[in-house]
Amino acid sequence: MAWSKYQIFLALLMVITGSINTLATKWADITNSVGKDGKSRPFNHPFLQAVSMFLGELSCLLAYKLLYLYYKQKDYTDEQLPPSISGSRSFNPLIFLPPALCDMTATSLMYIGLNLTYASSFQMLRGSLIIFTGLLSVAFLNRNLKHYQWIGIFFVMTGLAIVGVSDMVFGSHNDAKGSNGVITGDLLIIMAQIITATQMVVEEKFVSGSNVSPLQAVGWEGLYGVCILSTLLIPMYYIPTGNLIFKNPDGQMEDAIDGFVQIFNSWQVTLGLLGTIISISFFNFAGISVTKQMSATTRTVLDSVRTFVIWIFSLSIGWEKLSNRTFIQVTGFSILLIGMFLYNNVLIRPFLISRGLLRNNSSEAIAILQDTDDTENAIRPTMHNPSLQRNETEIYS
């Protein structure tokens, strides 16, 4: 069935805002700005950037309130409310605290990693989320992965290994990061995916049964993230870490004062942070709408397009250069993409079944023909951050 104009708009909005989110953060990272010591250097404040991301999530709570008031003034009943704001309003907000803590930790690690590695590697390595969510869902949610999902995990692991090796062997030796910095960034991003997978399991086990509206759920996590991480910026200012990873004037874990000075002194940094806040808000809206209007499998494909857009953009403006590393990454990304499609039962397996090249039972065939998700499968993440494909009623940061 052909997409409507509105569905095409949602798909484009998701790809564009999702790409902007990563690119805007990286742009701020590599932009030089004068700090509190009067010296010009790149903006290296991952925890401050994480706060901006949570501000974007928090705006979803405001959007929920405004939309709810709008529809109530038009005398809509609860059953008539759109999917993005429908759901229970009688719940304990503290249920979102544990996943918010996971999100806060994972986002901070990813932003540290993004500062050290390439934007394309950052987006690709987030595909490791499939591995950890699959394993944790088996261990803690008693899910049974299908054989094609295990094969998908194997392909994802192979693709990630190739991407990691390309960074290890061909990572830049000429810039301030060096190959060791790039490898460290890659490892931090993978560690963050373990925490994100834990977040998804916690939400599946303790939150999903509450039937909370998607915008409201993400908004509450954003509120907790802003409050907690903003408070933690104070002790971080007094924790000495040296300048190996955090390039602050006095070697603190996070120097928020220096960060705000750099933001004030550079419109590029300011625009990069605003881009992060605004894009994550619209990306969340687009994510909800794509899943509801089309399907979760459509979102999987669009997330792949987003990774490709980030890669091409990075090459076109000189953030990355065509080299041996690029061609190795093409191989790694292709294998990673195959694994992601296999795990999520998108394109490859349905195509083989439709051509009679693969046998399938009738219940799964019906699900494929209807372009729906195989609901007995484990949680289905995508390559996206504060990113995740949880289920048809949840949203992705």
Side-chain angles (χ1 to χ4, degrees), residues 4 12 16 24 52 62 66 140 150 163 173 180-181 225 249 272 299 363 373 379 391:
S4 67
L12 290 174
I16 293 171
S52 71
L62 176 61
L66 293 175
F140 296 102
W150 286 111
V163 172
H173 297 269
N180 289 338
R299 186 185 176 95
S363 62
D373 292 313
I379 308 169
N391 58 51

Side-chain angles (χ1 to χ4, degrees), residues 301-321:
V301 177
L302 293 177
D303 259 342
S304 306
V305 175
R306 182 165 68 104
T307 304
F308 185 72
V309 169
I310 291 171
W311 196 5
I312 296 300
F313 186 85
S314 298
L315 288 171
S316 64
I317 65 172
W319 286 1
E320 300 180 33
K321 296 180 179 179

Side-chain angles (χ1 to χ4, degrees), residues 289-303:
S289 303
V290 164
T291 305
K292 288 294 182 180
Q293 291 280 331
M294 291 168 271
S295 69
T297 54
T298 302
R299 186 185 176 95
T300 302
V301 177
L302 293 177
D303 259 342

Side-chain angles (χ1 to χ4, degrees), residues 177-353:
K177 299 179 182 64
S179 59
N180 289 338
V182 172
I183 295 169
T184 300
D186 290 351
L187 291 175
L188 288 173
I189 293 167
I190 294 175
M191 288 173 58
Q193 304 319 302
I194 300 176
I195 299 172
T196 299
T198 303
Q199 173 190 348
M200 295 174 67
V201 170
V202 169
E203 289 177 335
E204 175 76 6
K205 197 171 184 67
F206 300 108
V207 178
S208 60
S210 301
N211 189 31
V212 180
S213 126
L215 279 177
Q216 199 170 9
V218 171
W220 276 106
E221 289 188 15
L223 176 62
Y224 285 127
V226 169
C227 294
I228 295 172
L229 194 53
S230 296
T231 303
L232 289 177
L233 291 178
I234 299 173
M236 286 179 184
Y237 183 83
Y238 297 98
I239 299 176
T241 58
N243 294 116
L244 184 61
I245 294 179
F246 306 107
K247 309 296 183 181
N248 298 317
D250 301 318
Q252 304 103 315
M253 188 174 185
E254 178 61 280
D255 188 343
I257 297 175
D258 180 67
F260 283 118
V261 171
Q262 285 192 291
I263 292 171
F264 179 79
N265 287 333
S266 172
W267 66 266
Q268 294 97 326
V269 173
T270 302
L271 192 59
L273 292 181
L274 287 176
T276 299
I277 295 171
I278 297 172
S279 63
I280 200 68
S281 302
F282 282 95
F283 183 67
N284 282 331
F285 165 75
I288 298 172
S289 303
V290 164
T291 305
K292 288 294 182 180
Q293 291 280 331
M294 291 168 271
S295 69
T297 54
T298 302
R299 186 185 176 95
T300 302
V301 177
L302 293 177
D303 259 342
S304 306
V305 175
R306 182 165 68 104
T307 304
F308 185 72
V309 169
I310 291 171
W311 196 5
I312 296 300
F313 186 85
S314 298
L315 288 171
S316 64
I317 65 172
W319 286 1
E320 300 180 33
K321 296 180 179 179
L322 285 174
S323 63
N324 291 332
R325 171 183 170 274
T326 305
F327 298 110
I328 293 176
Q329 275 205 323
V330 169
T331 304
F333 178 58
S334 300
I335 296 174
L336 180 63
L337 204 58
I338 292 172
M340 187 180 66
F341 283 173
L342 284 173
Y343 184 92
N344 288 288
N345 201 20
V346 177
L347 295 181
I348 298 175
R349 187 167 175 270
F351 174 80
L352 294 176
I353 292 173

Side-chain angles (χ1 to χ4, degrees), residues 128-147:
S128 62
L129 184 60
I130 285 177
I131 300 171
F132 303 120
T133 50
L135 297 177
L136 289 178
S137 66
V138 169
F140 296 102
L141 298 177
N142 298 319
R143 300 294 176 85
N144 295 316
L145 297 184
K146 300 299 179 82
H147 67 278

